[in-house]
Amino acid sequence: MMEPKVRVLVVDDDVVVARTVQRILATREYEVEHVGAPDEVRDLLERRVAVEDWDAIVLDVNIGELNGLRVLAALRDAGNRTAVVMLTGDDTASTATAALRGGAFHYLVKPINAPMLLEVVDLAVRHTAVHRDLARPGDREATPGLIAGKSPAMAELRRMVPRIAGTSVSVLITGESGTGKEVLARTLHQASPRSKKAFVALNCGAIPEGLIDSELFGHTRGAFTGATSARPGVFVEADGGTLFLDEIGDMPLPVQARLLRALQEREVRPVGSDSVRPVDARVIAATNVDLARAVEAGKFRADLYFRLNVVSLRIPPLRERPEDIPGLISTLVQRHAAGQTPTIDEDALAAMVAYP
């Protein structure tokens, strides 16, 4: 039985650009539908906006008198989960920020780069498939002991973990310090086909800028003062497994560019080396920073944000889920009780739950 063709909708009033996109995507044998005339776009907004007929949408920011960002907003307001790739002639941070805040999967700057378009649309198709799967009801959950809590938010995380773990897409975990972002990342790794390989964690905010390249990509002997022996770097250490990049929002901009290249090319070049090494590591990133605001401020690359944010998971702080506090306290007490069975005074427990 033949698999159904991947369907891509192109929304652009520039026929030359639309044909270029169609020609490039035809090399993947994607089925491409073009909408460009104002009446066609209005019909899309009025009658087809909630219909998920496509696996990806390529949408121009400017469509004649219409605004592509408004089309994007209409899609999202209607609950359409299809990944949207924005096309723009403006490469300023404000445009990228408007796109990502509006729910775009990625954005590309014209003139169109064929390899980049193919790569981004391929990722968009995978993104759509993952999010449609996550939207379907399912009973299987992650091990409760790994993601503790009876609140709806934590139950939803447990429901999502097995589905996300089975893919190789990048995941961005957000949450305040201490909410358990690394625990969630380890849970994803342990539930994945990569579980028999290494889980390697790197705190991007704890390493000086001058050393982070070496930590990420490795170095050769003598590459710099103090490099008395070669080191593989965390990408190579996590080859076949999972690389957890904690506090990704603290990574310096020049390093972000080199990280983006490693993610795009799936290869690393150790510091001091003339050769590259292929790597296959699933990347899970975490941050307590509002990356959308960091992009707007010019402190974080928009293209790296889009690359990491294929699936986003948020861990709410305990003040938003006080019903989880008793169970969490019980788990911690038992873990550190050295075989004893201590009890928690009810007034003390109530005070902790009520603490602002």
Side-chain angles (χ1 to χ4, degrees), residues 44 92 105 131 152 210 249 252 286 323 335 343:
L44 172 72
T92 61
F105 169 70
H131 280 264
E323 65 268 42
R335 183 180 300 170
T343 58

Side-chain angles (χ1 to χ4, degrees), residues 227-292:
T228 57
S229 61
R231 181 174 179 180
V234 292
F235 264 98
V236 172
E237 291 173 356
D239 193 22
T242 301
L243 175 58
F244 176 57
L245 298 176
D246 199 7
E247 303 306 343
I248 190 74
D250 295 334
M251 180 176 284
L253 276 169
V255 183
Q256 291 178 30
R258 294 188 283 275
L259 172 61
L260 177 64
R261 183 189 178 281
L263 295 175
Q264 289 175 333
E265 304 298 329
R266 300 181 71 84
E267 63 184 24
V268 295
R269 184 190 302 274
V271 177
S273 175
D274 295 326
S275 60
V276 297
R277 171 171 175 169
V279 289
D280 172 28
R282 186 207 192 147
V283 173
I284 301 176
T287 182
N288 60 9
V289 172
D290 183 341
L291 289 186

